[in-house]
Amino acid sequence: VQLVESGGGLVQAGGSLRLSCTASGFTFDKYTIGWFRQAPGKEREEISCVSKIDGRTYYGDSVKGRFTMSGDITKNTVYLQMHSLKPEDTGVYYCASDCAVVGGRFDFGSWGQGTPVTVSS
């Protein structure tokens, strides 16, 4: 089972970026995929999750209305479209499998190596 993120980079505040997550080694099921990010010196932050419990898509409060997750089953790939980026969105972004929202928290199974995103002011 392997998840590979890509698409990160440097972008100016207010800009957009699309991250990709390609799964291999298992049949892709977008209902179990989510994203989180990790910034230096900060705790992991929940970004999005298509919960395996109810199939709904959830977003973290800090990205609601700006980030959208979608999937292409034919490519075994999930995307995270990010708009109106802010410097505080800077971090390493990870996609994770086996995602579930329980009690308002996003629980993740395994994840990839991450792709770095830097938003300059």
Side-chain angles (χ1 to χ4, degrees):
V1 174
Q2 186 176 19
L3 295 167
V4 178
E5 303 91 339
S6 62
L10 175 64
V11 62
Q12 288 187 333
S16 298
L17 207 58
R18 189 179 78 163
L19 306 182
S20 299
C21 171
T22 300
S24 61
F26 67 102
T27 301
F28 178 74
D29 181 351
K30 80 178 185 77
Y31 290 101
T32 66
I33 295 292
W35 291 85
F36 65 90
R37 67 188 178 199
Q38 183 89 54
K42 295 185 178 180
E43 294 186 356
R44 187 174 80 181
E45 185 175 6
E46 303 162 342
I47 299 298
S48 64
C49 174
V50 183
S51 179
K52 66 179 180 179
I53 295 176
D54 58 11
R56 292 175 57 190
T57 302
Y58 295 82
Y59 293 94
D61 289 340
S62 64
V63 304
K64 283 180 182 176
R66 300 189 298 123
F67 291 13
T68 303
M69 187 169 68
S70 62
D72 186 336
I73 294 177
T74 64
K75 297 182 178 179
N76 231 29
T77 299
V78 167
Y79 304 100
L80 183 68
Q81 180 68 55
M82 308 185 293
H83 294 297
S84 303
L85 284 162
K86 307 173 182 179
E88 50 264 44
D89 292 319
T90 294
V92 179
Y93 283 67
Y94 301 84
C95 70
S97 64
D98 203 27
C99 183
V101 179
V102 181
R105 285 187 53 182
F106 296 8
D107 289 334
F108 302 105
S110 58
W111 48 87
Q113 294 299 311
T115 185
V117 172
T118 302
V119 183
S120 63
S121 57

